[in-house]
């Protein structure tokens, strides 16, 4: 029982960016969710969110129990600005929550960090040296320094404990949620039409939606698509829409489209705004995520919610998130990816609809409310063990 109210610090910088993907989306949902969960309590805690820039307009508004503290700075802000500030701890926070891999290494305050996945340890060649170095060493330090570690799937938890056995008793899984008010069957055909026009999509289409980087296996997807195209299995093979912002090492993807002579079949949209996602997903015949690893695979849930079948990799957390509702394929086998896509496109109306229904059942298990609730519990407990 918590007899006093805690003062909880949160590093809100991952949430406070314009174009949110992955961890930014998670951090943003956590700020909104923690604020709501906390303020519904009979005795709410005080939340103080530390930022290096003023909060963007869609960030939660300040209330009596939810405040921002802007500490301006560039570069390694956590080390150069946040750490010295929290060593003084003028707000007297009891615990610091970092919804990312990066927590201040040297503090007396108990810390909690969130680790999305450790895929970079298995796939070192898919990262630029500097990014890899920072992820590898800082993550290890964060796991070591944190009182508790949150992660987003059992698969990621198993990876953390395998690489860092000392963390066994301090990892909690909080599955992510999806936005059921936006990703559902009520996306209007009108919006779908507008999106198709905007990106010059003229036919049915298969959708890939994620950041363009090597771990997503977009080249494998292009090879699989090319296979279906040359085999002429379909009179009209749907177009392939590759949506998402450029991450790193993406030049080979564009080159591959030219080499495979697919320029008239493949559409790149670049970054997709949150408000465009429901229509883009709802309009597709099939959603495909052939990644080599994923911490979670959030947009699989969005696709299920919109009633769109999913083809996804059979690795990492994807089978855990997709359950029996997706066609799972081997990301290292081009023919297998092609077969998965072909299977869905050849389904009868009944088979297609029954796969969609499995998706509706699966997606009910996930919500941001549950994720925030569990996260707040872990944060509140981090302090008890000290007293």
């Amino acid at each position: 029982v918590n007899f006093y109210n805690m003062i909880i610090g949160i590093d809100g910088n991952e949430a406070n960016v314009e174009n949110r993907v992955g961890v930014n989306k998670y951090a943003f949902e956590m700020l909104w969710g923690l604020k709501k969960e906390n303020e519904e309590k009979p005795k709410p805690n005080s939340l103080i969110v530390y930022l290096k820039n003023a909060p963007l307009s869609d960030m939660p508004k300040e209330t009596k129990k939810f405040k921002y503290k802007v500490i301006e700075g560039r570069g390694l802000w956590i080390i150069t600005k946040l750490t010295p500030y929290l060593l003084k701890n003028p707000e007297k926070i009891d615990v610091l929550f970092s919804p990312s891999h990066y927590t201040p290494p040297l503090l007396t305050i108990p810390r909690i960090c969130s680790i999305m996945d450790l895929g970079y340890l298995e796939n070192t060649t898919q990262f630029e040296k500097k990014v890899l170095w920072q992820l590898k060493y800082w993550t290890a330090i964060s796991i070591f320094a944190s009182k508790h570690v949150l992660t987003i799937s059992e698969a990621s938890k198993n990876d953390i404990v395998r690489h860092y056995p000392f963390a066994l008793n301090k990892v909690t899984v909080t599955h992510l949620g999806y936005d059921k008010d936006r990703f559902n069957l009520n996306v209007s055909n009108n919006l779908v039409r507008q999106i198709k026009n905007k990106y010059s999509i003229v036919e049915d289409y298969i959708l890939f939606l994620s950041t363009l980087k090597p771990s997503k296996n977009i080249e494998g997807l292009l090879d699989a698509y090319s296979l279906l195209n040359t085999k002429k299995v379909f009179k009209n093979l749907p177009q392939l829409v590759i949506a998402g912002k450029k991450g790193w090492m993406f030049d080979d993807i564009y080159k591959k489209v030219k080499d495979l002579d697919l320029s008239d079949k493949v559409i790149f949209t670049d970054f997709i705004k949150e408000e465009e996602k429901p229509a883009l997903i709802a309009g597709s015949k099939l959603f495909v995520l052939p990644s080599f690893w994923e911490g979670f695979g959030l947009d699989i849930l969005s696709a299920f919610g919109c009633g769109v079948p999913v083809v996804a990799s059979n690795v990492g957390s994807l089978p855990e998130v997709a359950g029996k509702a997706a066609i799972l394929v081997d990301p290292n086998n081009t023919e297998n990816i092609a077969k998965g896509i072909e299977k869905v496109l050849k389904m009868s109306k009944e088979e297609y609809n029954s796969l969609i229904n499995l998706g509706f059942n699966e997606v009910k298990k996930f919500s941001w409310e549950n994720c925030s609730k569990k996260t707040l519990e872990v944060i509140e407990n981090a302090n008890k063990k000290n007293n």
Side-chain angles (χ1 to χ4, degrees), residues 48-146:
I48 295 167
V49 180
Y50 297 104
L51 297 174
K52 52 183 157 186
N53 304 305
L56 296 170
S57 60
D58 61 351
M59 293 274 277
K61 298 287 173 266
E62 287 195 322
T63 57
K64 211 168 87 188
K65 293 289 182 185
F66 185 94
K67 302 276 186 222
Y68 291 106
K69 172 73 195 160
V70 178
I71 309 167
E72 285 180 0
R74 306 231 88 66
L76 286 171
W77 178 86
I78 292 174
I79 301 289
T80 58
K81 297 292 180 199
L82 186 62
T83 301
Y85 184 84
L86 290 180
L87 283 169
K88 297 196 188 83
N89 197 9
E91 284 87 22
K92 306 262 184 293
I93 65 172
D94 297 300
V95 58
L96 176 72
F97 171 47
S98 303
S100 78
H101 286 228
Y102 307 126
T103 197
L106 307 165
L107 284 184
T108 51
I109 304 161
R111 279 141 293 163
I112 293 166
C113 69
S114 300
I115 305 292
M116 301 292 113
D117 67 84
L118 297 181
Y120 51 86
L121 292 176
E122 318 287 327
N123 303 270
T124 51
T125 54
Q126 301 180 357
F127 287 85
E128 292 161 340
K129 285 279 178 283
K130 183 182 152 217
V131 175
L132 179 69
W133 194 89
Q134 190 168 332
L135 269 170
K136 193 168 155 182
Y137 292 103
W138 203 336
T139 300
I141 291 166
S142 293
I143 294 173
F144 185 76
S146 291

Side-chain angles (χ1 to χ4, degrees), residues 244-350:
K245 74 172 184 181
K246 300 182 185 81
W248 51 79
M249 297 156 86
F250 47 78
D251 293 330
D252 293 350
I253 297 169
Y254 297 113
K255 186 175 176 303
K256 180 149 251 178
V257 172
K258 281 202 181 64
D259 293 348
L260 293 171
D261 196 22
L262 290 172
S263 302
D264 56 340
K265 293 293 279 182
V266 177
I267 294 171
F268 288 96
T269 67
D270 210 346
F271 178 77
I272 288 286
K273 292 199 187 84
E274 271 305 309
E275 57 268 26
E276 291 183 345
K277 273 188 184 178
L280 188 69
I281 292 173
S284 66
K285 285 295 284 178
L286 161 63
F287 183 87
V288 60
L289 193 64
S291 319
F292 292 119
W293 85 85
E294 286 285 344
F296 191 82
L298 199 50
D299 284 315
I300 288 182
L301 297 182
S302 310
F304 286 160
C306 290
V308 173
V310 171
V311 171
S313 297
N314 59 4
V315 296
S317 63
L318 293 178
E320 182 184 330
V321 176
K324 294 182 170 60
I327 304 291
L328 297 177
V329 295
D330 174 358
N332 298 298
N333 181 332
T334 305
E335 281 176 16
N336 200 243
I337 299 172
K339 274 208 181 76
I341 294 171
E342 184 178 338
K343 183 173 178 178
V344 175
L345 293 178
K346 279 187 167 166
M347 280 181 173
S348 68
K349 193 116 181 86
E350 285 76 31

Side-chain angles (χ1 to χ4, degrees), residues 1-7 43 45 94 380 383-384 387:
V1 183
N2 225 346
F3 290 111
Y4 70 102
N5 304 39
M6 290 174 69
I7 303 173
K43 284 185 143 181
N45 306 294
D94 297 300
E380 289 180 339
N383 203 41
K384 286 186 192 159
N387 298 327

Side-chain angles (χ1 to χ4, degrees), residues 187-200:
V187 180
S188 81
N189 292 336
N190 209 358
L191 278 179
V192 173
R193 251 197 317 276
Q194 285 173 19
I195 283 289
K196 287 180 79 165
N197 289 341
K198 177 174 177 178
Y199 294 108
S200 315

Side-chain angles (χ1 to χ4, degrees), residues 206-223:
I206 297 162
L207 177 64
F208 166 90
L209 169 63
S210 199
T211 305
L212 274 55
K213 55 186 184 186
S215 64
K216 302 296 180 178
N217 193 21
I218 302 165
E219 291 181 58
L221 173 60
L222 288 168
D223 282 329

